[in-house]
Amino acid sequence: MPRNVEIKARIGSIAAVSARAAAIADSGPTEIAQDDTFFPCPAGRLKLRQFADGSGELIFYQRADAQGPKESFYLLARTADADALRTVLSHAYGTAGRVVKQRTLFLAGPTRIHLDRVHGLGEFLELEVVLADEESVEQGVQTAHRVMASLGVDAAQLVEGAYVDLLREAAPAAQSRSSG
């Protein structure tokens, strides 16, 4: 199963981090609109990612919801018709949440640098250090720390969990503010 080491951090400004990402990247920026629908999955997480052209990817992954760099195992299958697949999966399993974001992607060696503007949450950095079969998690963690430092992101900015979890946590707080 493919693996990577991931981190997620809240950032103050995509523009500021984007300039630093461009300075270390081999390619990018690439703008990608993403609409992720999550489905109940007791063995990990299952999401359908839809792109602007209607295509998508069904992604299963297992990852600890810990703060800081962590290993993630994943499998994906592409589809030409994400809407049809979402309908089938929603009827079969129900849904567990939805995340809509605008992603700016840079590639720096084995690292995918994602600058995400997440609807209802704000701006984030996500790093995915893709591991070769022979690479250890520790090597990926070291790479993640180096890239974080190059981007001016420190450990205090790291968040745990997935965007869908953060949205779920933010919903009650938003409701109590509007009803108070």
Side-chain angles (χ1 to χ4, degrees):
M1 197 177 323
R3 317 171 289 139
N4 62 28
V5 170
E6 298 183 13
I7 66 101
K8 187 182 308 311
R10 189 174 291 277
I11 57 175
S13 164
I14 284 178
V17 178
S18 182
R20 291 179 171 167
I24 65 168
D26 305 316
S27 68
T30 302
E31 295 295 327
I32 310 167
Q34 297 179 341
D35 183 348
D36 295 348
T37 302
F38 286 78
F39 302 94
C41 180
R45 293 185 189 264
L46 182 67
K47 68 181 171 186
L48 176 63
R49 171 165 291 158
Q50 183 171 0
F51 301 106
D53 67 358
S55 69
E57 298 172 338
L58 184 63
I59 305 167
F60 167 74
Y61 64 99
Q62 295 173 316
R63 173 186 77 209
D65 287 331
Q67 193 175 24
K70 60 211 144 272
E71 185 176 26
S72 176
F73 298 93
Y74 61 94
L75 295 170
L76 68 88
R78 291 179 172 78
T79 180
D81 189 351
D83 277 332
L85 187 54
R86 179 183 293 110
T87 298
V88 170
L89 290 168
S90 296
H91 279 82
Y93 299 109
T95 61
R98 197 154 184 183
V99 177
V100 178
K101 64 183 173 285
Q102 180 65 36
R103 171 166 282 174
T104 303
L105 168 67
F106 292 91
L107 299 176
T111 306
R112 298 173 56 86
I113 302 169
H114 303 152
L115 302 178
D116 293 337
R117 184 170 285 112
V118 183
H119 181 71
L121 278 182
E123 297 184 346
F124 293 83
L125 162 72
E126 186 178 87
L127 299 179
E128 294 177 350
V129 180
V130 179
L131 299 174
D133 289 341
E134 68 280 359
E135 280 186 294
S136 69
V137 173
E138 292 76 25
Q139 289 171 299
V141 168
Q142 290 172 1
T143 300
H145 283 299
R146 279 194 305 274
V147 174
M148 282 174 54
S150 296
L151 298 175
V153 174
D154 64 41
Q157 293 172 264
L158 296 176
V159 296
E160 58 183 72
Y163 293 134
V164 69
D165 301 323
L166 298 173
L167 282 166
R168 207 174 289 122
E169 291 167 9
Q175 289 174 346
S176 67
R177 283 193 305 270
S178 66
S179 64

